[in-house]
Amino acid sequence: MGNRSKYSCGSASETLEWINAILQFIRPYNSIINAHVVNFFKDRLWESLDQHWIQCLRCEPVQNLLLIPSGVVQDHWPDSLKQFVSTLRSLVFSREQVDLDKVFPGLNITVLNSVLAQGMNIKKKHEVEFLSAVVSFIANSVRAQTIVDVGSGQGYLAQVLSFQYHHSVVAIDACSHHGRVTETRAERIKKHYAAKMHKFDSGNRVLNVPKTITCRVMSIDMLKALTDMSIHDDVKKPELIGQVADNKTSLVLAGLHACGDLSVTMLKTFLECKEVKSVVSIGCCYNLLSEECPDAADSHFGFPMSSGVKSAGISLGKNSRDLACQVLCKYYPELVKTSPSIGRQGKALRRQQQRRAFHSAVHNGENKHSTLPQSISKMEETCLSLQPAESKTDDNSTLELGLDTSSCNGIMRCEGNASVDKYLLFEKFSQSGLSRLGLQPLGEMYLREIWKEAEPFAELIGLYWSLRAAFGPLLETLLLLDRLLFLQEQGSSVEAIMLPIFDPVLSPRNVAIIAKRT
């Protein structure tokens, strides 16, 4: 696969060796991995870094900092830093898109027509084109009667599998609105194909239309029951829940970015439900995974799955979830318990800024791709460039009130004016956040105090975040290898592989775990 790593995952022993190498590498950096970056100033997080690294990286151009998560090092860096970055990257699973024709001989990837692709952006269209071809190929190879699209959203994958590849498909999602959108969209597509068949006198061929099921609680037992329901015409009768499928049932489970534990539930259902002959899972939203505590009696967790990782006693923590407020707890201590986040203020403000900048550029006859003035300070550049490589931003992301990466984008943005007073931007942002939380404005004296304490170390945020972000692909590799090992531990009854099936430029979360019964 073009992986620079010396590790492989062709067998359970090889996968476990890779996992153990990752665990050994990350242990010394636990404080960085589990840090809450919104508490950068309050907890003085930069003090956990090698001081030689700090002295070197604080002078680096922003472009070099941004390349750290991708494994790019500079010749003048300390040997220890270069070794850290190169070793980390050698442990990351390659995201280079595989040659699917070699993996699945005879695979037919068809470009979606305008009717099927309606409503899809470029990323979604690419994902659906490739995944639908792979799922169809696998469904045919195991002679599946039905494909179950788990976490189907608005039904894009389900509809392509139905109308283009002529499979019987059931679309399951927790949102009833998604179900209604799927059904409405499917009817519109059906009319198009029916008219086309009539025009070319295609006989009496019946068009497959995805069945839709809304299920808010997606447990293994529920998913097993829903897969049973998928072969009945009346899939909405509640009394069908709990029925046992007959031995003739043959299903494939497919999930395109099924969030959090849902991807895990798919894999467990595949093992526990003999009617499911294969599973194709592309996960996402690892921040929503449930995680096993050392003294937990319950075994239904999203991580770890495999016996090999469980025996290592690893805990990733909740560093990417439920980030508490920074700084304001000193002045509004009750806020931490009652309302820890502003919500979507950061995203809304950034969109407003982008629109204003665009319209301003058009009005002034400027090129919208022009760069910021060279005179922007190092601090501003750093705060403008904190988004890590291969990161994923979903619609559930929130902005924590403090000087985290999103805050810096809002506070430090110069917007073409190098003389802007940075404190005034910070004050404007802070008071806006307080207003959205329904709190009284904080006095200027206190804001000045916060700014005075933070400003000398603000330039360290970029380098700290870049080093921390480098662990992102590695931790995702660990989570994926844990899922793969879970399947490999079942022995010869299951064949499992892990493949990057999308172009990582278009879809960074591109790794599919594919398993089938042998």
Side-chain angles (χ1 to χ4, degrees), residues 233-438:
D233 289 333
D234 190 359
V235 297
K236 295 183 179 179
K237 284 188 176 181
E239 61 268 23
L240 292 176
I241 295 290
Q243 286 186 357
V244 179
D246 58 62
N247 293 329
K248 296 180 181 180
T249 307
S250 178
L251 304 168
V252 169
L253 296 183
L256 174 55
H257 294 151
C259 292
D261 285 351
L262 188 54
S263 293
V264 172
T265 301
M266 289 174 60
L267 300 181
K268 291 182 177 180
T269 303
F270 162 69
L271 293 183
E272 295 188 18
C273 185
K274 64 181 183 300
E275 290 77 20
V276 180
K277 305 303 181 184
S278 182
V279 61
V280 183
S281 170
I282 302 177
C284 74
C285 299
Y286 304 114
N287 58 307
L288 300 178
L289 275 176
S290 59
E291 187 171 353
E292 183 174 8
C293 301
D295 56 349
D298 191 357
S299 60
H300 297 291
F301 294 96
F303 178 83
M305 293 186 69
S306 66
S307 298
V309 178
K310 286 180 180 179
S311 64
I314 182 69
S315 175
L316 294 182
K318 298 181 179 180
N319 58 301
S320 60
R321 303 186 296 269
D322 302 328
L323 296 181
C325 291
Q326 178 219 331
V327 178
L328 289 178
C329 58
K330 179 177 178 181
Y331 304 98
Y332 301 96
E334 74 285 355
L335 187 64
V336 176
K337 294 182 180 179
T338 60
S339 183
S341 66
I342 299 176
R344 299 187 182 182
Q345 180 189 9
K347 181 179 290 187
L349 288 176
R350 286 194 295 275
R351 286 175 176 170
Q352 291 172 10
Q353 289 172 341
Q354 289 168 357
R355 284 195 295 268
R356 286 198 300 268
F358 174 77
H359 291 303
S360 176
V362 172
H363 178 73
N364 295 325
E366 300 172 356
N367 187 325
K368 67 178 180 179
H369 297 296
S370 62
T371 58
L372 291 172
Q374 296 298 314
S375 58
I376 291 181
S377 69
K378 175 71 175 181
M379 181 177 180
E380 292 161 336
E381 287 183 315
T382 301
C383 291
L384 283 168
S385 61
L386 295 176
Q387 296 301 328
E390 300 186 8
S391 66
K392 177 179 185 295
T393 303
D394 57 46
D395 289 337
N396 295 320
S397 60
T398 59
L399 172 67
E400 306 302 332
L401 199 56
L403 292 178
D404 65 57
T405 57
S406 299
S407 305
C408 286
N409 269 319
I411 298 168
M412 310 301 180
R413 186 174 297 277
C414 191
E415 295 193 7
N417 187 350
S419 64
V420 170
D421 188 321
K422 302 181 192 68
Y423 167 73
L424 292 180
L425 293 176
F426 165 74
E427 181 184 34
K428 180 180 179 181
F429 174 85
S430 300
Q431 301 294 23
S432 173
L434 294 171
S435 174
R436 284 176 177 265
L437 290 170

Side-chain angles (χ1 to χ4, degrees), residues 201-218:
D201 193 21
S202 301
N204 296 320
R205 182 169 69 85
V206 178
L207 287 171
N208 287 319
V209 178
K211 300 181 180 71
T212 59
I213 298 178
T214 298
C215 179
R216 297 189 179 279
V217 180
M218 192 64 74

